[in-house]
């Protein structure tokens, strides 16, 4: 509720009241107040994001040290390098919580100092003085999605390669060593819009080359009717083509015909096959759409990549939602009591939203929910909560 009376003449709030009451007649709100609240909000948010990032990075560094302790040949400098390469990834991870906690600190401090009370007494509603923090949160989320995510993907990819090489077994990010491979790709060599389905019984990554054995390729037309079957005891993935040795070709209703070595064009490279089995966090938001299309054409599962892409798109809205949630739980006047309970409820709501997002993510990865719904549902739930709280506080 708004305070109906103005501050007493001669008090320290009088000058503050006069400054906040200086409005732009065209905009309908105080520009000075908007800049002041935005500055306070960003300082609190950045401080909280840096503090949370440092805390998470410390635990990550301790975990890396524990794993490196079993490998005497791994120097401590390598552990520090891997931990440093993880920092941009953790910034993205903790950003929503940094905005939530930073907003709670900012708005509760402004409320205790009566600055927001003076602003509302000057006739400025909560929706007006929350416009600048909301814009800052949206801009921060947008810059994180477009800028920091690109930096994070590059650095996280380097960290994964170092981790796989020095701290784990397997020799690389390809998880199919010694396993089978199925993939589907376009094949216009025989008919337009044809399809080739490749099955390899064994796959190995040796010296940066992808070696396959026990290869069977089914070449189909655009109606999925078999045109040709290719059998080869071994082969390799070259530069945008499969190199097959000692190949036999089988036409429907014909005897096998030995043709020797042959090549089959492909959209894949060794790097792309490695990326397809690596974490989606190693790809930027700009590279994900094209790579998702490549995965779907090649028959690789793309659910994790689509879910990660939608999560990055939802990050700016989630950041704005957290700013509104923090305001809804922290602008209660101290004279009304129950401030500590409201602040605790705000922090609990943030962790509840985190739990909901992780549950939705698991449902999305399992295929029970579409990736779009799994990524956007927690953001929508938090936005509804924030709007309901602010409506109750301002107009209830």
């Amino acid at each position: 509720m708004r305070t109906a009376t103005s501050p007493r003449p001669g008090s320290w709030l009088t000058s503050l009241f006069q400054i906040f009451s200086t409005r732009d007649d065209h905009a309908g709100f105080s520009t000075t107040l908007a800049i002041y609240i935005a500055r306070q909000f960003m300082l609190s948010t950045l401080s909280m994001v840096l503090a949370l990032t440092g805390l998470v990075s410390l635990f990550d560094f301790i975990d890396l040290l524990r794993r490196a302790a079993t490998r005497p040949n791994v120097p401590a400098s390598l552990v520090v390098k891997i931990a440093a390469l993880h920092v941009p990834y953790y910034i993205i991870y903790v950003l929503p919580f940094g905005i939530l906690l930073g907003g709670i600190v900012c708005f509760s401090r402004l409320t205790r100092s009566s600055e927001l009370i003076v602003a509302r007494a000057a006739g400025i509603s909560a929706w007006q003085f929350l416009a600048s923090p909301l814009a800052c949160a949206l801009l921060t989320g947008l810059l994180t999605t477009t800028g920091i995510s690109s930096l994070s993907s590059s650095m996280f990819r380097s960290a994964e390669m170092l981790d796989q090489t020095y701290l784990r077994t397997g020799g690389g990010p390809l998880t199919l060593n010694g396993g089978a491979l199925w993939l589907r790709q376009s094949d216009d060599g025989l008919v337009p819009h044809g399809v080739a389905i490749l099955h390899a019984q064994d796959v190995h990554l040796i010296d940066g080359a992808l070696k396959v054995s026990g290869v069977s390729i089914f070449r189909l037309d655009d109606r999925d009717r078999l045109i040709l079957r290719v059998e080869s005891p071994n082969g390799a993935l070259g530069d945008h083509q499969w190199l097959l040795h000692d190949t036999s070709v089988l036409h429907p209703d014909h005897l096998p015909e030995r043709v020797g070595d042959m090549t089959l064009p492909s959209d894949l490279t060794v790097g792309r096959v490695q990326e397809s089995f690596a974490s989606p966090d190693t790809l930027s938001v700009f590279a994900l759409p094209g790579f998702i299309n490549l995965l779907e054409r090649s028959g690789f599962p793309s659910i994790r990549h689509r879910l990660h892409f939608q999560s990055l798109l939802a990050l700016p809205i989630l950041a704005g939602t957290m700013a509104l949630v923090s305001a809804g739980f922290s602008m209660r006047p101290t004279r009304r009591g129950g401030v500590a309970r409201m602040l605790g409820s705000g922090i609990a709501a943030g962790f509840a939203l985190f739990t909901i997002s992780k549950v939705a993510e698991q449902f999305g990865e399992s295929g029970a929910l579409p990736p779009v719904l799994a990524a956007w549902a927690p953001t929508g739930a938090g936005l509804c909560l924030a709007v309901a709280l602010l409506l109750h506080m301002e107009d209830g």
Side-chain angles (χ1 to χ4, degrees), residues 159-176:
E160 285 286 288
M161 293 179 63
L162 293 174
D163 195 342
Q164 292 280 355
T165 302
Y166 296 101
L167 299 181
R168 299 181 186 176
T169 58
L174 185 65
T175 59
L176 291 183

Side-chain angles (χ1 to χ4, degrees), residues 297-312:
R297 291 199 308 268
S298 303
F300 291 114
S302 62
I303 292 180
R304 292 193 307 151
H305 296 78
R306 286 189 284 132
L307 182 60
H308 181 61
F309 178 63
Q310 293 297 330
S311 299
L312 289 177

Side-chain angles (χ1 to χ4, degrees), residues 174-223:
L174 185 65
T175 59
L176 291 183
N177 285 345
L181 171 68
W182 282 94
L183 66 86
R184 179 186 179 97
Q185 66 179 46
S186 60
D187 180 16
D188 298 329
L190 298 179
V191 295
H193 309 294
V195 174
I197 299 177
L198 183 145
H199 173 243
Q201 296 179 358
D202 293 291
V203 183
H204 299 273
L205 187 64
I206 304 175
D207 297 331
L210 187 65
K211 305 292 185 180
V212 293
S213 59
V215 182
S216 298
I217 301 177
F218 303 91
R219 307 183 72 174
L220 313 175
D221 61 12
D222 56 349
R223 297 184 179 180

Side-chain angles (χ1 to χ4, degrees), residues 3-32:
T3 304
T5 61
S6 302
R8 296 188 308 272
S11 66
W12 70 270
L13 291 176
T14 303
S15 58
L16 189 64
F17 180 82
Q18 294 173 349
I19 292 175
F20 289 172
S21 299
T22 304
R23 299 187 184 184
D24 185 343
D25 294 336
H26 299 284
F29 65 94
S30 172
T31 304
T32 303

